[in-house]
Amino acid sequence: MQTFLSEVARRLCEKYGEELSSLTILFPSQRARLFFTDALAQIADRPLWAPKYIAIDDIMLEISDLHSADKLRLVAELYRIYSKYHTEDFDRFYRWGELLVSDFDMVDKYCVDASRLFRNISDLKELEADLDSLTPAQMQIVREFWQTIGDEASFSEQKRRFLGVWRTLGTIYDEYRTHLRTLGIGYTGMIYRDAVERIASDAPLRLSAERYVVVGFNALSECETRLLKYMATNYHTDFFWDYDDYYYADEVQEAGMFIRRNRSALPADEPVSHDNLRNIRTIDVISTSTAVAQCHHAVALLREIAGKDADGRQRPLDKDTAVVLTDENLLMPLLYALPEELGKVNVTMGYPLRNTPAYALVERLIELQTHARRRDDGETFYHVDVERVLSHPYIVECDAQIIADIRAEIVRERIFNVPSEKLARSPLLRTLFRATNDWQSLVEYLRDALIAIGGMPT
């Protein structure tokens, strides 16, 4: 069966030939770029220059005069605005701030009228008058939501805080966007909205390429739709939609909703086949007793798929075979179970940062500082935190003999709170076991600790 990307690669080669390098191709993911490049290499019968690959984010940044900022900076700037209306410590606000930035991002990507979205609509009469565009079912959902909040006179403290925050969200949203604009930065949705507003204003624009190919997108936000319509009107743009007739042609199938909308607004000039789901295929459902058993059975299936060569040796697995995990906790057991002779395996899941030793190390260092005690005669650290830091795999082999002596001494002398001078027996340990006073010194401490550990010989 020919894959979607290989068919797109073949059609582009047939249409553009030597001019393939003049194309700029938009993909929804980095993985799609890799497999498309591989498909091109298999089709090409001579060396050729690959097209340029770009993301929609890059085009939005090209049009907008704003620059993207990292998440920490965005949350910190939001806290400046939020603090004008509510009193809350930054460490408690941070997770809530991430959610707010994410919500503002969605508001802007879908070009929602924020002044209406963030209104206090607890008055049902106001709700019915102002939201008459909603369907009866949607109206009922909103009514039930505000009815669960109840009468304001009987609010609990949590409900009062919720309503207090809700009443200021519209103002915070407006001031936050204004503040970011003065800094010349924005979150992704703000940059998207700024770009499409510039397009709508007929401002003079010039994209960096002349020929674009849009491949494999499905659900588009309002900003993405407006951008692609602009590109289709003002630039040579080909669209390749990845779908199957099984759900596209049947309007009862919700899976085809976005594709039907996209194809209506942005027709594809270069059709590809869309009937793969009706092909005969085999699906095996296998029961296993544990999650680890799943991984070992998956490895057995991969060995069977890869097969053996004429000498009876295991062949490496090809890239056309993918392992799709539904639980990220299965990733590490699977990776440990994979034999070297299978080579590189295409596993469709990233590795969460939370599971890395580096993340665990930072957590242990923060706990060490959290439980540290400061006295007139010096600083002490809780023995459990000291043991967890010294036993971390990044540290235990650094100054191994000194660390082993310290750990044995703590156990032998039954030391509950370990003085810092007992721990500071090497430059690394002096860096790790010093107390901090505030968040600025904690940031400097973590930076110095990671630099010191990273500089130790392995």
Side-chain angles (χ1 to χ4, degrees), residues 188-380:
T188 303
M190 181 178 173
I191 294 170
Y192 276 35
R193 193 166 196 165
D194 181 69
V196 298
E197 286 174 352
R198 292 196 65 191
I199 291 173
S201 68
D202 294 325
L205 302 174
R206 194 67 198 167
L207 299 184
S208 58
E210 295 293 334
R211 295 178 176 178
Y212 290 93
V213 181
V214 181
V215 179
F217 286 83
N218 188 347
L220 299 173
S221 68
E222 181 63 24
C223 285
E224 290 169 334
T225 301
R226 294 183 188 183
L227 171 66
L228 295 182
K229 285 181 178 179
Y230 168 77
M231 293 169 58
T233 302
N234 296 276
Y235 296 85
H236 182 95
T237 308
D238 295 326
F239 293 93
F240 292 89
W241 302 109
D242 185 12
Y243 62 91
D244 196 279
D245 287 332
Y246 171 75
Y247 56 80
Y248 171 78
D250 184 359
E251 294 194 1
V252 177
Q253 296 275 3
E254 294 181 358
M257 180 178 65
F258 293 108
I259 288 295
R260 288 191 286 269
R261 186 186 305 167
N262 295 342
R263 284 208 64 196
S264 176
L266 302 162
D269 297 327
E270 300 293 332
V272 293
S273 58
H274 301 287
D275 57 354
N276 291 326
L277 286 181
R278 290 192 173 92
N279 294 339
I280 297 175
R281 62 192 68 244
T282 301
I283 299 176
D284 295 325
V285 179
I286 302 168
S287 176
T288 58
S289 58
T290 65
V292 174
Q294 283 188 55
C295 298
H296 285 284
H297 192 79
V299 171
L301 292 175
L302 294 175
R303 287 180 179 275
E304 183 180 336
I305 293 170
K308 297 183 178 181
D309 59 20
D311 297 328
R313 291 175 298 188
Q314 180 71 57
R315 289 196 184 100
L317 199 67
D318 58 47
K319 289 189 292 186
D320 292 333
T321 301
V323 180
V324 182
L325 299 175
T326 58
D327 182 358
E328 66 180 15
N329 294 319
L330 294 177
L331 181 60
M332 290 310 297
L334 176 67
L335 296 181
Y336 280 120
L338 288 172
E340 292 185 7
E341 56 265 26
L342 280 178
K344 295 181 179 179
V345 178
N346 180 15
V347 182
T348 60
M349 178 170 287
Y351 185 60
L353 178 64
R354 179 180 293 274
N355 293 347
T356 62
Y359 186 97
L361 174 62
V362 172
E363 275 194 322
R364 295 182 187 187
L365 292 176
I366 291 175
E367 288 182 5
L368 179 78
Q369 294 297 329
T370 300
H371 301 143
R373 294 185 177 181
R374 297 157 189 83
R375 303 179 304 187
D376 294 338
D377 57 345
E379 304 158 345
T380 63

Side-chain angles (χ1 to χ4, degrees), residues 308-458:
K308 297 183 178 181
D309 59 20
D311 297 328
R313 291 175 298 188
Q314 180 71 57
R315 289 196 184 100
L317 199 67
D318 58 47
K319 289 189 292 186
D320 292 333
T321 301
V323 180
V324 182
L325 299 175
T326 58
D327 182 358
E328 66 180 15
N329 294 319
L330 294 177
L331 181 60
M332 290 310 297
L334 176 67
L335 296 181
Y336 280 120
L338 288 172
E340 292 185 7
E341 56 265 26
L342 280 178
K344 295 181 179 179
V345 178
N346 180 15
V347 182
T348 60
M349 178 170 287
Y351 185 60
L353 178 64
R354 179 180 293 274
N355 293 347
T356 62
Y359 186 97
L361 174 62
V362 172
E363 275 194 322
R364 295 182 187 187
L365 292 176
I366 291 175
E367 288 182 5
L368 179 78
Q369 294 297 329
T370 300
H371 301 143
R373 294 185 177 181
R374 297 157 189 83
R375 303 179 304 187
D376 294 338
D377 57 345
E379 304 158 345
T380 63
F381 298 94
Y382 183 42
H383 70 101
V384 173
D385 297 330
V386 172
E387 170 63 24
R388 295 184 73 228
V389 170
L390 293 179
S391 62
H392 189 277
Y394 287 175
I395 297 174
V396 69
E397 296 301 326
C398 303
D399 301 325
Q401 187 56 54
I402 296 177
I403 290 175
D405 292 342
I406 292 174
R407 295 173 69 183
E409 189 175 330
I410 292 173
V411 173
R412 184 175 61 254
E413 298 181 10
R414 299 181 181 180
I415 304 175
F416 191 81
N417 291 311
V418 188
S420 58
E421 60 269 17
K422 185 178 287 291
L423 299 167
R425 300 184 187 180
S426 71
L428 173 62
L429 297 179
R430 280 193 293 272
T431 301
L432 295 179
F433 295 102
R434 74 170 195 264
T436 60
N437 300 316
D438 49 33
W439 68 267
Q440 290 98 335
S441 60
L442 176 62
V443 171
E444 293 175 0
Y445 164 78
L446 292 175
R447 180 199 61 197
D448 295 343
L450 294 176
I451 291 174
I453 295 169
M456 295 298 292
T458 58

Side-chain angles (χ1 to χ4, degrees), residues 170-189:
T171 304
I172 291 173
Y173 168 83
D174 291 332
E175 290 190 18
Y176 181 50
R177 282 171 50 87
T178 302
H179 176 62
L180 292 182
R181 186 169 291 280
T182 61
L183 299 175
I185 60 175
Y187 48 88
T188 303

Side-chain angles (χ1 to χ4, degrees), residues 1 61 63 67 98 105 108 119-120 196 219 232 257 330 337-338 357 359 362 368 425:
M1 182 182 70
L61 283 168
I63 298 174
H67 301 282
E98 285 184 311
D105 184 78
D108 285 341
R119 287 185 63 179
N120 174 21
V196 298
M257 180 178 65
L330 294 177
L338 288 172
Y359 186 97
V362 172
L368 179 78
R425 300 184 187 180

